């Protein structure tokens, strides 16, 4: 292979596919990146056997070819070069690549491309298209609620449902539930419900950047893989097999106390209380005090640890219903408030032992349910 491209473009492509390079593996070849010079571009691919990412770099190709190189070494060397043209010349026996940029050059030993794991291909028509920025928002509001332990594999994924011109993302870890409803860029080709690993969608969110074009989702006929394609790259991921819980049954239909509070003030009070909850059991206590005859009430946010001390803060709130109290994990409370958008948030509760329901005011597309912590009041 023989080609040339700009250092900036190659560095950007290597950074993108680097998200799929294996770190700890029993298959050393997955720590490499596959380079394929074809037509007028250089294709870069990497896989950790769970996901595979491919991107393309504009190049002037004089001779086509392919080989694999250690991803970390190649990336660090390219990043150290000046922003000028890089000339790349590959050798077959032994496999390797000579790089030259300005007054810098290097030879990196590689491996024959035939030894690289095959990058999965997904054939079929596009199932759904989602606008990029709403997709980033949807992922950001649900992905943190997925389980991180593999004891129940389906809970480590996000249930993705495409139906008509809408999509629904849902994640749960047994202690909380996040559901986001959104609009598709165009009606789905077919109604579909699959479970995509949360790690996959986290990478998609991270890599989309400021892209504006819609993101395409394509499923294999056997429903065991998904291809996610955007302007500059594509990702293939295994799907999680199993049945996701019927989450609609987990959302309380009624409440006795409904509280509307400023999101920024609530988050600040929660983070302050979390400082004192950190070395204890990680519990933040909330008490709701309605105002007299429809006047504004307030929420008391507190935490205490026997060995350290205690903290208490109050924020104004519009409270409908009965005085109430409930306690949450400080981490769960901070994460949901940090994921919300808008100026105000609604918290609906029934008893101290019933789930709390969080909703952003003015946005009916998101709901978050958190199980309470049991404490001695």
């Amino acid at each position: 292979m023989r080609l040339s491209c700009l250092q900036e473009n190659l560095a950007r492509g290597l950074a993108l596919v680097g998200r799929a390079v294996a770190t700890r593996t029993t298959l050393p070849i997955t720590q490499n990146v596959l380079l394929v010079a074809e037509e007028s571009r250089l294709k870069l691919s990497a896989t950790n056997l769970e996901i595979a990412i491919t991107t393309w770099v504009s190049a002037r190709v004089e001779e086509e070819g392919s080989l694999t190189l250690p991803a970390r070494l190649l990336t660090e060397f390219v990043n150290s070069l000046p922003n000028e043209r890089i000339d790349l010349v590959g050798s077959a026996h032994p496999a390797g690549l000579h790089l030259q940029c300005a007054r810098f050059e290097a030879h990196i030993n590689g491996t024959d491309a035939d030894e690289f794991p095959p990058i999965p291909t997904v054939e079929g028509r596009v199932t759904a298209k989602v606008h990029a920025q709403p997709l980033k928002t949807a992922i950001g509001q649900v992905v943190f609620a997925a389980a991180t332990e593999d004891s129940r594999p389906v809970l480590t994924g996000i249930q993705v449902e495409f139906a008509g011109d809408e999509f629904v993302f849902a994640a749960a870890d047994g202690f909380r539930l996040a559901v986001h409803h959104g609009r598709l860029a165009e009606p789905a080709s077919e109604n579909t419900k699959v479970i995509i690993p949360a790690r996959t969608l986290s990478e998609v969110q991270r890599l989309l950047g400021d892209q504006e074009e819609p993101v395409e989702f394509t499923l294999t006929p056997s429903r065991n893989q998904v291809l996610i394609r955007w302007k500059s790259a594509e990702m293939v991921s295994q799907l999680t097999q199993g049945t996701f819980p019927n989450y609609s049954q987990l959302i309380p239909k009624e409440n006795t106390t409904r509280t509307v509070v400023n999101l920024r003030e609530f988050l600040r009070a929660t983070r302050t209380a979390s400082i004192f909850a950190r070395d204890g059991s990680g519990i933040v206590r909330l008490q709701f005090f309605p105002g007299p005859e429809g006047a504004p009430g307030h929420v008391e946010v507190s935490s205490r640890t026997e060995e350290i001390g205690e903290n208490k803060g109050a924020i104004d709130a519009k409270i409908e219903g009965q005085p109430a109290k409930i306690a949450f994990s400080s981490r769960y409370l901070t994460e949901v408030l940090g994921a919300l958008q808008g100026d105000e948030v609604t918290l609906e509760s029934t008893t101290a032992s019933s789930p709390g329901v969080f909703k952003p005011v003015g946005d009916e597309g998101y709901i978050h349910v958190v199980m309470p912590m049991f404490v001695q009041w």
Side-chain angles (χ1 to χ4, degrees):
M1 62 188 297
R2 182 186 297 271
L3 69 145
S4 59
C5 62
L6 293 179
Q7 180 272 346
E8 179 183 9
N9 294 340
L10 181 56
R12 186 185 303 115
L14 289 171
L16 197 153
V17 299
R19 305 298 307 183
V21 173
T23 52
R24 299 177 181 176
T25 177
T26 57
L27 191 61
I29 192 69
T30 57
Q31 295 179 322
N32 284 15
V33 59
L34 174 65
L35 291 79
V36 181
E38 54 183 14
E39 299 176 350
S40 61
R41 59 185 184 174
L42 173 65
K43 182 170 76 171
L44 305 173
S45 300
T47 180
N48 58 15
L49 303 183
E50 293 182 1
I51 64 171
I53 300 178
T54 299
T55 190
W56 291 266
V57 176
S58 297
R60 188 181 69 184
V61 177
E62 298 178 22
E63 181 181 335
E64 296 186 347
S66 60
L67 80 163
T68 80
L69 297 174
R72 181 176 178 180
L73 176 61
L74 177 62
T75 301
E76 290 180 348
F77 177 67
V78 170
N79 288 343
S80 71
L81 296 174
N83 186 12
E84 297 186 25
R85 189 186 76 183
I86 300 179
D87 296 316
L88 304 94
V89 180
S91 58
H93 305 290
L97 186 69
H98 184 84
L99 302 92
Q100 183 169 359
C101 179
R103 301 173 68 180
F104 299 88
E105 61 181 305
H107 182 86
I108 301 177
N109 296 328
T111 308
D112 192 274
D114 293 338
E115 298 184 27
F116 198 77
I119 301 298
T121 57
V122 176
E123 302 295 338
R125 61 179 179 174
V126 175
T127 301
K129 292 183 179 181
V130 186
H131 289 295
Q133 297 310 307
L135 175 61
K136 287 184 64 176
T137 299
I139 296 172
Q141 289 188 338
V142 302
V143 71
F144 63 91
T148 55
E149 298 180 358
D150 294 332
S151 55
R152 293 185 63 187
V154 293
L155 296 186
T156 63
I158 295 175
Q159 178 170 274
V160 176
E161 183 176 0
F162 301 120
D165 61 353
E166 296 184 343
F167 70 89
V168 182
F169 285 8
D173 63 3
F175 302 98
R176 51 185 170 171
L177 164 71
V179 183
H180 180 102
H181 294 257
R183 290 280 181 182
L184 294 172
E186 57 186 55
S189 61
E190 59 179 312
N191 293 350
T192 303
K193 186 184 297 184
V194 295
I195 303 175
I196 300 178
R199 288 190 295 267
T200 297
L201 291 179
S202 291
E203 292 299 339
V204 172
Q205 181 195 27
R206 185 178 290 110
L207 296 173
L208 281 178
D210 56 358
Q211 174 170 315
E212 298 180 357
E213 293 84 352
V215 178
E216 299 178 353
F217 288 75
T218 303
L219 300 174
T220 57
S222 58
R223 302 296 178 91
N224 63 346
Q225 290 179 323
V226 60
L227 169 67
I228 305 172
R229 179 184 289 120
W230 57 99
K231 181 178 68 173
S232 60
E234 63 183 34
M235 177 186 297
V236 178
S237 172
Q238 301 290 332
L239 294 175
T240 301
Q241 303 303 314
T243 303
F244 199 79
N246 184 358
Y247 60 82
S248 61
Q249 297 179 348
L250 307 176
I251 302 175
K253 302 299 187 292
E254 300 178 350
N255 65 83
T256 57
T257 306
R258 183 178 184 273
T259 303
V260 177
V261 64
N262 181 277
L263 175 59
R264 183 173 298 179
E265 292 181 1
F266 196 3
L267 182 57
R268 181 188 298 115
T270 298
R271 286 175 172 164
T272 302
S274 298
I275 298 171
F276 284 80
R278 187 182 304 146
D279 295 325
S281 50
I283 296 175
V284 171
R285 303 162 187 252
L286 306 177
Q287 291 186 264
F288 307 94
F289 300 95
E293 299 180 0
H298 72 276
V299 179
E300 184 179 279
V301 184
S302 64
S303 62
R304 62 174 180 261
T305 303
E306 294 296 334
E307 297 80 6
I308 296 178
E310 61 183 30
N311 159 266
K312 183 183 297 184
I315 50 178
D316 293 335
K318 293 177 284 187
I319 302 176
E320 301 174 2
Q322 305 297 319
K325 57 182 66 175
I326 193 169
F328 294 112
S329 158
S330 60
R331 180 168 70 90
Y332 291 175
L333 187 56
T334 302
E335 286 181 342
V336 62
L337 294 178
L340 294 176
Q341 298 179 349
D343 297 326
E344 295 181 315
V345 58
T346 299
L347 171 55
E348 299 174 353
S349 60
T350 305
T351 67
S353 59
S354 301
V357 181
F358 296 81
K359 302 175 182 177
V361 173
D363 180 6
E364 299 297 326
Y366 183 67
I367 186 169
H368 194 101
V369 181
V370 183
M371 295 299 296
M373 303 288 284
F374 295 96
V375 299
Q376 293 295 327
W377 293 91

